[in-house]
Amino acid sequence: MQELEDILIQSDMGMNIVLKISNNIEKKFSKGWPTEKINDFLVEQLMSFYDDPKSKENKINLYKKKLSPILVVGVNGVGKTTSIAKIANFYKEKNYKVLLVAGDTFRAGAVEQLSLWAERLEIEIIKPDKEQQDPASVVYKGLEYGKNNNFDIVLIDTAGRLQNKVNLMKELEKINNIIVKVTNDKPAETLLVIDAITGQNGVIQAETFSEISKISGIVLTKMDGTAKGGVVLAIRDKLNIPVKFIGTGEKLSDISIFDIEEYVYNLTKDLFEPDIQGENDGN
Ligand SMILES: Nc1nc2c(ncn2[C@@H]2O[C@H](COP(=O)(O)OP(=O)(O)OP(=O)(O)O)[C@@H](O)[C@H]2O)c(=O)[nH]1
Ligand SMILES: [Mg+2]
């Protein structure tokens, strides 16, 4: 049991979930430990944190026949800009008309970075006219342009300055107000990007951003590394925010729509397999 708990803890799902699961396992298997059954039960348990994975809120929401603004937020360096490029590519390949908005006017180089992606993707981008321009005004320009030119999706990049929560709050509030004003609706999605490597800290980020803005989904990045990304289960458990996309590398194609079954499979796949490599060490 201890070993199992250790493995679960290492996957970053948080003590709360680990204890719930281990309690349930102990209750269910008080008479014996048939490994395969425990494995199945564990998968079942992990899935249950997602209650209804097929429900509408777990799908990516896009408005029909009108502009769908997707606001992308998150702390520095988690992969917001890269994820925007990937999502843009994902929908471009499905023949959606996609526009980018460089709403991170804070960090030098951020506009340039998104512009490079726009160039590679051969899609249009709305940029600030001058340095350090108010992001809300860039967003306004982007939404107007998107609306008037029949775009389907407008992806909005933002700066992630958690160290300055009041400013960030004001900025996102302003951007949200602009979206409502121009489109008469809330953003189709407000995606919080979480880096799988940050572990349990992701829960704090989700809590903080939820206080600032209604988050409709998570983009979990850097799942190509060793991190298991269990933090999204903790976020789901605590804040009921579903995951929408998974990032698995730095290339445009390294993104997929979140699939709870695949995710849980990856989370548990080497739990009960003997560590052949390890056992052979020193032989
Ligand atoms: N391995 C891997 N690297 C990623 C992934 N997503 C993003 N990155 C890398 O993470 C680094 C930061 O990505 P950005 O997209 O610039 O992150 P950001 O959140 O926009 O950063 P700021 O604009 O500084 O707040 C870059 O080197 C990306 O290539 C991923 O899924 N896997
Ligand atoms: Mg960025």
Side-chain angles (χ1 to χ4, degrees):
M1 202 64 221
Q2 187 61 52
E3 209 175 304
L4 176 66
E5 280 178 6
D6 286 348
I7 295 170
L8 293 178
I9 289 167
Q10 277 163 27
S11 73
D12 291 325
M13 61 185 68
M15 273 320 275
N16 209 11
I17 294 186
V18 174
L19 290 178
K20 275 188 209 171
I21 290 176
S22 67
N23 277 338
N24 289 345
I25 289 183
E26 274 181 341
K27 254 189 258 158
K28 174 120 181 158
F29 296 102
S30 54
K31 293 195 183 75
W33 282 75
T35 310
E36 347 51 270
K37 283 212 177 119
I38 291 176
N39 204 354
D40 288 349
F41 185 69
L42 182 62
V43 168
E44 224 172 80
Q45 287 281 300
L46 289 169
M47 299 274 284
S48 76
F49 283 99
Y50 238 80
D51 36 51
D52 180 9
K54 299 245 164 1
S55 90
K56 206 166 145 254
E57 53 140 345
N58 294 327
K59 300 244 161 63
I60 294 138
N61 181 51
L62 293 178
Y63 297 130
K64 289 191 181 75
K65 293 185 185 139
K66 72 167 185 171
L67 186 65
S68 295
I70 300 180
L71 186 59
V72 179
V73 301
V75 301
N76 292 349
V78 284
K80 294 180 293 297
T81 307
T82 313
S83 297
I84 284 177
K86 291 177 186 176
I87 296 170
N89 184 53
F90 179 87
Y91 283 112
K92 190 198 164 195
E93 284 183 342
K94 294 187 183 335
N95 293 320
Y96 285 82
K97 196 173 171 193
V98 185
L99 179 68
L100 302 184
V101 173
D104 179 0
T105 62
F106 181 76
R107 181 170 68 79
V111 175
E112 183 67 16
Q113 188 189 355
L114 195 67
S115 301
L116 282 172
W117 282 118
E119 220 171 277
R120 281 185 56 190
L121 285 159
E122 295 180 339
I123 60 181
E124 286 187 82
I125 177 169
I126 299 298
K127 296 188 270 194
D129 306 312
K130 53 180 195 293
E131 266 175 48
Q132 305 270 309
Q133 192 177 338
D134 176 13
S137 73
V138 186
V139 172
Y140 179 81
K141 201 166 79 168
L143 292 168
E144 283 289 344
Y145 187 82
K147 228 172 69 168
N148 295 333
N149 294 279
N150 294 317
F151 278 84
D152 301 305
I153 297 170
V154 51
L155 283 155
I156 304 165
D157 198 10
T158 62
R161 284 158 294 148
L162 257 196
Q163 64 271 37
N164 197 342
K165 196 174 147 189
V166 177
N167 273 5
L168 181 72
M169 202 180 278
K170 278 190 194 147
E171 188 171 302
L172 289 180
E173 195 185 344
K174 228 165 136 186
I175 291 175
N176 270 310
N177 288 342
I178 295 279
I179 293 174
V180 173
K181 200 170 143 196
V182 179
T183 65
N184 285 320
D185 221 331
K186 59 184 185 356
E189 289 282 357
T190 300
L191 300 176
L192 173 67
V193 182
I194 300 268
D195 177 341
I197 300 161
T198 31
Q200 278 294 294
N201 199 272
V203 184
I204 297 164
Q205 292 170 16
E207 275 171 340
T208 310
F209 274 92
S210 293
E211 284 166 26
I212 297 172
S213 196
K214 167 111 183 67
I215 305 297
S216 59
I218 304 284
V219 180
L220 181 65
T221 59
K222 310 192 190 178
M223 282 294 278
D224 45 314
T226 49
K228 290 276 190 187
V231 63
V232 294
L233 287 178
I235 292 173
R236 174 74 175 191
D237 188 42
K238 205 158 181 190
L239 300 160
N240 202 24
I241 306 172
V243 189
K244 305 259 165 148
F245 288 103
I246 296 272
T248 51
E250 297 186 85
K251 294 195 306 294
L252 278 175
S253 56
D254 293 333
I255 193 161
S256 44
I257 289 191
F258 180 68
D259 177 339
I260 180 68
E261 285 177 26
E262 198 180 312
Y263 168 82
V264 167
Y265 170 76
N266 281 327
L267 207 57
T268 55
K269 74 174 178 216
D270 22 61
L271 273 187
F272 296 100
E273 275 162 22
D275 181 4
I276 295 165
Q277 207 74 41
E279 279 174 5
N280 284 341
D281 277 359
N283 283 347

